[in-house]
């Protein structure tokens, strides 16, 4: 009796749709490519060959034949098809896989292996390749398709040591990622065999204003935004610094359009040289800062200084009309983000597409969005209004620029993001969006690889059912531990959905779902999963990954959450898990990933935070602490400082007092006054000094002699944003302590914000 491999209910289309005797595809089939096949076709043939070997145990032959003979799987390009489109057809005993250039054939191979071979690729190193003597293919087969999202830009973290890179590359191909990661171009690593059909033209996808002007030889001050005081910001030095353009300036618009035409001509020249299709979308997106123009012309269009949507819409529409006269097949891509998120009165031109990005609440500029909840969730009521408003004004389509993680926490919050991915991608399709971007770097967060799997599958077909994908992944990735891991996923998903408060910006001690019952049940389920994993180290590690966000919350707020596990046990387990994950994934080699993995000068900031106890007066009060170890510049080693690092403020000669205060940079006033230290501790050690009490907002900074610090890290949503601010300082030398033999110096190692005592 033959062992066969057949999908009873195919992922997209049941086999009942086909009639006739099926083909039995095994190693007796040859894989045929044209005699002059290029590297893309040969790579697709090799990929199919390796999978058929893994499935059947026998290796089919790859032949170069323009007119194949015998039983064959025929691979061929059709340049009249879209770059990523594919067709699966049977002709007699042959299976023909046709695809657009450059990726269509490879995606046709992936479709065949998924649909009829039941293959799945869960991570770069974990896949499901079932064993069988042959693969059953319907006799009369005629299927075609392509990914719904034309640009699928999903963020991964890479180091060159990530093992093994070949598997990472193949994972990207099998997942049908829409862009080639930068690490694939490193050194001798070649990308041509994978094929790159980038839909976005130069310079890149987002925050492109800087790139448009970076090579200009001459610029005028009036090209750039004016501040509230009538002064022009300096020329942009990168896509974050400086400010935006003055969007109403006629000469600037002419220069931008000329640069756009130059980008298009250069892109087409490169595409023709490589035989690739032309890019279809060109991005005109503001730099990543809120400094838009306050000049009279811009403000005449805009309803308020904080809302620059109308001047941005007018700018895009003007350039879109010009572009349509020269290249009527191209689109301009804009982004509604920060100052442009509220919809304009103007209707956008048909060749304008818009992305919608909501991250303001993460950085507490306003409270209109819950970044990791679906845009239609009740906590996103204001953000949803913005989407609806833009959609009504944008016939070209709206895409949701997504975030699958928190950016502003010192640790990961245990929460489910799969429902956000599922609902937002489905909604984006409904709005006609074809460009997908999702930022998700947080490898140390809940169900990271599950979220990746769901995102990759829905990016190709947003109509797939979330629960089917979850079950498929759980069984393939967790194996013997699948059932308790499914139960933990349901526990987490239900808890996340029912939480009434915003996630990520609400203090964790105010989140109702983080209850003793939740943690107890989570520990129970993960404990069962670890036992079922047995000696399978990969599965056991995968289960233990889920403890990181659970333990992170409890260890950072141990006094408030009152965990059932002792602090010593939690801390030891948490740091060990973090260390293992960092070593496994190469994360410690990366820079600027997240507080939990950032190191400065070899110092693990989070470990310093956890190992440095607060004075008794601050314990149990949701204190937030900034450490000098997280400062990029000006550090000095000091064994007496928290973490062994401090900031040495200023240079001798000093005066015999020290000024410190909170300052509102927008209102340009101190809060409530400047505090002057005139009596200095005689022991020349670190002491906490009270600064002030204030309702913190994104514009309030800590200021002292020779140093200032942006207090965004301490901002919480009202009414929890009233804070007392303290600073830990050390004063040495005879200027401050008469008779001292030490050099004069002022050192700062910590700033603390804590709610007032009730």
């Amino acid at each position: 009796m033959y062992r066969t491999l057949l999908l009873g209910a195919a992922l997209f289309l049941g086999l009942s749709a086909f009639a006739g005797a099926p083909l039995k595809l095994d190693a007796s089939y040859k894989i045929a490519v044209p005699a002059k096949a290029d590297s893309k076709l040969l790579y697709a043939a090799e990929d199919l060959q390796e999978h058929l070997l893994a499935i059947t145990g026998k290796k089919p032959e790859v032949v170069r034949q323009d007119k194949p003979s015998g039983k064959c799987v025929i691979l061929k390009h059709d340049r009249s098809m879209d770059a990523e489109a594919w067709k699966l057809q049977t002709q007699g005993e042959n299976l023909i896989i046709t695809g657009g250039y450059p990726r269509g054939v490879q995606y046709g191979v992936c479709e065949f292996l998924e649909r009829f071979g039941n293959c799945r690729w869960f991570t770069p190193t974990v896949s499901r390749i079932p064993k069988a003597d042959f693969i059953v293919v319907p006799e009369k087969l005629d299927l075609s398709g392509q990914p719904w999202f034309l640009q699928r830009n999903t963020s991964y973290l890479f180091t060159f040591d990530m093992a093994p890179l070949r598997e990472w590359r193949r994972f990207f191909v099998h997942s049908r990622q829409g862009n080639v990661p930068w690490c694939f171009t490193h050194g001798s690593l070649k990308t041509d065999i994978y094929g790159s059909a980038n839909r976005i033209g130069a310079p890149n996808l987002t925050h492109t204003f800087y790139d448009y002007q970076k090579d200009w030889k001459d610029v005028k001050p009036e090209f750039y935004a004016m501040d509230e005081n009538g002064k022009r910001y300096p020329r942009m030095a990168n896509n974050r610094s400086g400010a935006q353009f003055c969007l109403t300036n006629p000469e600037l618009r002419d220069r931008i359009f000329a640069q756009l035409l130059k980008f298009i001509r250069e892109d087409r020249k490169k595409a023709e040289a490589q035989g690739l299709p032309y890019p279809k979308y060109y991005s005109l997106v503001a730099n990543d800062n809120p400094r838009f123009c306050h000049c009279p012309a811009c403000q005449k269009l805009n309803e308020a200084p904080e809302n620059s949507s109308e001047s941005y819409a007018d700018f895009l529409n003007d350039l879109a009309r010009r572009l349509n006269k020269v290249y009527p097949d191209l689109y301009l891509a804009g982004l509604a983000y920060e100052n442009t998120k509220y919809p304009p009165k103007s209707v956008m031109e048909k060749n304008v597409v818009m992305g919608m990005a909501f991250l303001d609440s993460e950085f507490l500029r306003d409270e209109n969005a819950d970044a990791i909840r679906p845009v239609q969730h009740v906590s996103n009521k204001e953000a949803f209004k913005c989407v609806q408003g833009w959609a009504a004004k944008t016939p070209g389509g709206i895409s949701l620029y997504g975030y699958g993680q928190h950016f502003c926490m010192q640790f990961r919050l245990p929460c489910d993001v799969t429902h956000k991915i599922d609902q937002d991608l489905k909604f984006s399709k409904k709005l006609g969006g074809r460009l997908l971007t999702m930022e998700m770097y947080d490898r140390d967060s809940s169900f990271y690889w599950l979220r990746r799997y769901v995102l990759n599958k829905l990016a190709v077909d947003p109509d797939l059912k979330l629960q089917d994908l979850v079950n498929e992944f759980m069984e393939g990735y967790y194996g013997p531990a699948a059932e308790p891991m499914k139960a933990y996923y349901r526990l987490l998903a239900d808890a996340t959905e029912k939480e009434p408060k915003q996630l990520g910006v609400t203090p964790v001690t105010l989140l109702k779902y983080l209850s003793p019952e939740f943690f107890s049940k989570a520990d129970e389920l993960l404990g069962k999963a670890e036992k079922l994993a047995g000696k399978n180290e990969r599965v056991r590690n995968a289960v233990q990954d889920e403890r990181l966000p659970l333990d992170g919350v409890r260890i950072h707020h141990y006094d408030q959450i009152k965990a059932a596990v002792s602090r010593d046990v939690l801390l030891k387990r948490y740091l060990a898990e973090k260390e293992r994950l960092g070593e496994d994934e190469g994360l410690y080699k990366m820079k600027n990933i997240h507080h939990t993995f950032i190191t400065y000068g070899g110092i693990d900031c989070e470990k310093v935070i956890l190992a440095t106890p607060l004075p008794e007066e601050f314990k149990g009060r949701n204190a937030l602490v900034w450490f000098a170890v997280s400062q990029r510049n000006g550090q000095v080693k000091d064994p007496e400082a928290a973490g062994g690092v401090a900031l040495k403020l200023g240079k001798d000669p000093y005066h015999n007092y020290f000024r410190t205060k909170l300052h509102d940079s927008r209102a340009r006033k101190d809060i409530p006054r400047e505090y002057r230290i005139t009596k200095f501790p005689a022991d020349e050690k670190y002491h906490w000094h009270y600064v002030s009490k204030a309702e913190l907002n994104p514009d309030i900074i800590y200021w002292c002699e020779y140093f200032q610090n942006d207090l965004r890290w301490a901002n919480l949503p009202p009414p929890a944003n009233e804070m007392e601010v303290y600073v830990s300082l050390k004063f040495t030398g005879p200027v401050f302590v008469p008779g001292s033999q030490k050099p004069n110096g002022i050192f700062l190692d910590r700033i603390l914000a804590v709610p007032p005592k009730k």
Side-chain angles (χ1 to χ4, degrees):
M1 178 182 248
Y2 287 110
R3 291 177 294 118
T4 63
L5 190 57
L6 178 63
L7 283 178
L11 196 57
F12 298 99
L13 185 63
L15 294 181
S16 59
F18 309 106
L23 279 63
K24 296 180 179 180
L25 198 154
D26 58 17
S28 66
Y29 273 73
K30 292 179 290 185
I31 301 172
V33 297
K36 295 183 179 180
D38 66 2
S39 59
K40 285 83 170 170
L41 273 180
L42 292 174
Y43 178 77
E46 175 192 337
D47 192 37
L48 179 59
Q49 181 187 48
E50 288 190 8
H51 278 85
L52 289 176
L53 171 61
I55 291 168
T56 68
K58 297 178 182 179
K59 189 175 184 178
E61 182 184 4
V62 175
V63 297
R64 293 176 179 243
Q65 295 176 348
D66 289 327
K67 295 182 179 180
S69 59
K71 295 190 295 184
C72 294
V73 179
I74 301 170
L75 307 184
K76 61 180 183 179
H77 281 129
D78 181 348
R79 290 180 180 265
S80 68
M81 299 172 64
D82 183 84
E84 297 181 315
W86 51 265
K87 288 182 183 177
L88 303 180
Q89 297 169 305
T90 51
Q91 189 178 80
E93 288 189 300
N94 293 337
L95 171 66
I96 304 172
I97 302 178
T98 310
Y101 190 82
R103 285 188 172 186
V105 173
Q106 176 61 64
Y107 288 173
V109 168
C110 293
E111 187 70 24
F112 166 74
L113 291 171
E114 278 193 322
R115 187 186 293 269
F116 301 113
N118 205 14
C119 298
R120 298 292 185 271
W121 304 277
F122 301 114
T123 78
T125 55
V126 181
S127 58
R128 181 184 76 197
I129 314 296
K131 303 293 184 182
D133 292 322
F134 51 78
I135 298 176
V136 176
V137 182
E139 181 188 34
K140 295 182 179 180
L141 175 64
D142 189 359
L143 288 176
S144 62
Q146 70 179 93
W148 167 260
F149 289 101
L150 300 178
Q151 179 77 6
R152 300 173 301 286
N153 183 28
T154 57
S155 306
Y156 283 79
L157 289 173
F158 285 96
T159 67
F160 297 133
D161 328 28
M162 274 184 166
L165 191 55
R166 181 175 183 269
E167 276 68 18
W168 274 92
R169 293 165 140 192
R170 296 223 159 188
F171 176 68
F172 265 76
V173 171
H174 296 144
S175 301
R176 288 175 255 194
Q177 295 291 296
N179 61 325
V180 177
W182 60 269
C183 75
F184 286 10
T185 62
H186 176 62
S188 62
L189 303 176
K190 303 297 183 183
T191 63
D192 61 327
I193 62 175
Y194 306 99
S196 178
N198 199 342
R199 313 295 182 138
I200 305 294
N204 52 61
L205 177 63
T206 190
H207 301 314
T208 58
F209 278 7
Y210 161 74
D211 295 281
Y212 269 82
Q213 57 85 64
K214 70 176 182 179
D215 295 327
W216 291 352
K217 300 302 181 185
D218 61 310
V219 297
K220 297 180 178 180
E222 55 266 30
F223 285 178
Y224 302 99
M226 178 184 289
D227 68 16
E228 299 94 325
N229 299 314
K231 184 179 179 180
R232 295 285 178 178
Y233 286 100
R235 183 176 183 175
M236 306 161 185
N238 53 53
N239 67 4
R240 288 181 179 271
S241 70
Q244 312 299 344
F245 287 127
C246 177
L247 297 176
T248 55
N249 185 292
E251 186 179 352
L252 171 78
R253 291 188 180 189
D254 292 342
R255 293 282 295 273
I256 292 286
F257 186 65
Q259 183 66 51
L260 172 61
L261 294 180
K262 183 180 179 182
F263 284 145
I264 294 170
R265 289 193 296 267
E266 291 174 348
D267 281 348
R268 294 194 168 199
K269 186 177 179 180
K270 291 177 184 176
E272 288 167 1
Q274 300 175 41
L276 295 172
Y278 297 149
K280 297 285 288 184
Y281 299 86
Y282 283 83
S283 174
L284 280 168
V285 174
N287 292 333
D288 195 7
N289 67 64
R291 294 183 283 276
F292 277 78
C293 189
H294 288 72
C295 79
C298 286
Q299 289 309 307
K300 185 177 179 180
L301 289 175
N302 298 324
E303 291 183 351
E306 294 77 22
N307 182 3
S308 300
S309 298
E310 201 64 51
S311 59
Y312 185 44
D314 189 75
F315 169 79
L316 288 175
N317 279 340
D318 178 24
L319 294 169
R321 287 189 289 268
R322 301 189 201 193
L323 180 65
N324 189 55
K325 294 176 182 178
V326 187
Y327 296 105
D329 59 328
L330 298 185
Y331 293 86
L332 288 184
L335 183 68
Y337 175 60
E338 288 194 347
N339 293 52
T340 59
K341 62 180 170 288
Y342 295 106
K345 294 178 181 178
S346 301
V347 176
M348 306 307 295
E349 294 291 326
K350 292 182 180 179
N351 59 334
V352 173
V353 300
M354 291 298 297
M356 299 290 301
F358 297 102
L359 198 61
D360 286 5
S361 58
E362 279 280 285
F363 296 92
L364 292 143
R365 294 192 177 100
D366 60 38
E367 306 305 323
N368 81 327
D370 194 343
I372 63 168
R373 289 290 206 11
V375 74
Q376 297 182 78
H377 191 275
V378 65
S379 64
N380 273 320
K381 187 163 45 177
E382 294 303 315
F384 186 54
K385 288 180 183 177
C386 291
V387 174
Q388 288 178 306
W390 271 105
K393 301 289 185 179
T394 313
I398 296 289
S399 299
L400 299 177
Y401 188 114
Y403 303 94
Q405 69 173 92
H406 294 298
F407 288 87
C408 296
M409 296 184 69
Q410 292 175 328
F411 50 86
R412 299 301 185 192
L413 184 71
C415 60
D416 166 55
V417 188
T418 60
H419 283 76
K420 179 238 173 47
I421 295 169
D422 176 57
Q423 293 178 42
D424 277 2
L425 267 60
K426 286 176 167 57
F427 188 51
S428 195
K429 179 182 178 181
K430 184 178 179 181
L431 297 174
R434 304 301 297 269
L435 306 179
L436 170 65
T437 300
M438 179 72 73
E439 293 188 33
M440 200 156 60
Y441 309 97
D442 52 340
R443 175 62 184 90
D444 54 333
S445 58
S446 299
F447 288 112
Y448 174 83
W449 285 114
L450 169 63
R451 286 183 286 134
R452 284 288 175 193
Y453 186 70
V454 167
L455 176 59
N456 292 338
K457 300 291 282 184
L458 293 176
V460 174
D461 183 1
D463 294 329
L464 296 176
K465 294 181 179 179
L466 174 62
Q467 195 56 54
D468 291 343
L469 297 177
V470 170
N471 289 338
E472 189 171 71
F473 178 89
M474 291 291 183
E475 291 162 10
Y477 186 64
Y478 291 108
E483 291 307 313
M485 293 308 292
K486 286 181 187 178
Y488 174 57
Y489 166 79
R490 289 193 296 270
L491 173 73
L492 190 62
D494 290 345
T496 303
E497 174 63 23
K498 292 175 183 176
E499 173 56 51
K501 297 184 181 295
Q502 283 195 345
L503 302 178
V505 298
T506 302
V508 295
T509 51
L510 301 181
L511 296 174
K512 293 183 178 181
Y513 81 92
L514 295 178
S515 63
E517 294 75 20
F518 169 81
F519 286 111
S520 175
K521 187 63 177 178
D523 286 339
E524 176 190 340
L525 292 170
L526 293 179
K528 287 181 180 178
E530 285 178 355
K531 288 182 180 179
L532 290 172
K535 296 181 179 180
N536 189 322
E537 184 178 8
R538 184 200 65 76
V539 173
R540 189 171 64 253
N541 286 344
V543 172
Q544 290 173 351
D545 286 350
E546 297 309 309
R547 289 198 182 278
L548 259 173
L550 290 168
D551 289 349
V553 168
R554 286 184 283 189
I555 199 66
H556 277 277
H557 289 274
Y558 189 81
D559 292 335
Q560 297 92 347
I561 290 179
K562 304 187 186 308
V565 187
S566 75
R567 189 181 191 279
D568 289 342
V569 170
L570 272 178
L571 183 59
K572 182 178 180 181
R573 184 170 70 188
Y574 181 63
L575 295 178
E577 277 301 301
K578 185 179 152 185
E579 187 73 25
R580 179 192 61 75
L581 183 63
E583 291 176 353
D584 287 354
E585 302 289 337
L587 294 179
Y588 283 116
K589 299 181 180 71
M590 302 295 288
K591 295 179 180 179
N592 303 333
I593 296 169
H594 188 273
H595 286 285
T596 49
F597 283 114
I598 286 179
T599 61
Y600 290 98
I603 300 171
D604 181 336
C605 299
E606 189 189 26
K607 190 178 289 187
V608 171
I609 292 170
L610 294 174
T612 308
L614 292 173
E616 288 297 324
E617 63 181 295
F618 299 135
K619 287 184 178 180
R621 292 171 59 189
N622 286 333
L624 299 169
V625 187
W626 179 90
F627 282 71
V629 293
S630 61
Q631 177 78 10
R632 296 176 187 274
N633 301 308
Q635 295 175 336
V636 294
K637 292 185 178 180
D638 182 354
E640 295 180 349
V645 169
L647 300 180
K648 188 175 188 296
L649 306 182
K651 296 180 180 179
D652 209 5
Y654 297 104
H655 42 72
N656 61 353
Y657 60 86
F658 183 79
R659 295 182 297 160
T660 182
K661 62 186 176 182
L662 299 185
H663 180 75
D664 189 324
S665 59
R666 181 177 291 271
R668 292 180 171 83
K669 67 177 184 179
D670 297 341
I671 305 175
R673 59 175 178 79
E674 177 181 291
Y675 173 53
R676 184 172 292 199
I677 301 174
T678 56
K679 294 183 179 180
F680 303 97
D683 60 5
E684 299 180 285
K685 294 184 180 298
Y686 285 94
H687 292 273
W688 288 103
H689 297 267
Y690 176 75
V691 179
S692 188
K693 180 170 69 173
E695 293 183 354
L696 299 186
N697 64 59
D699 300 309
I700 294 180
I701 61 174
Y702 168 73
W703 182 96
C704 69
E705 302 269 10
Y706 321 110
F707 175 71
Q708 64 184 39
N709 178 265
D710 186 332
L711 292 179
R712 290 186 188 276
W713 54 268
N715 293 168
L716 295 174
N721 64 332
E722 186 182 39
M723 291 284 187
E724 293 176 352
V725 177
Y726 295 78
V727 61
S728 174
L729 296 165
K730 179 173 72 171
F731 299 89
T732 65
V735 169
F736 307 108
V737 180
S740 171
Q741 300 301 307
K742 293 182 178 181
N744 290 324
I746 304 172
F747 302 88
L748 183 156
D749 70 341
R750 285 174 289 175
I751 304 171
L752 179 144
V754 62
K757 286 184 177 180
K758 294 181 179 180

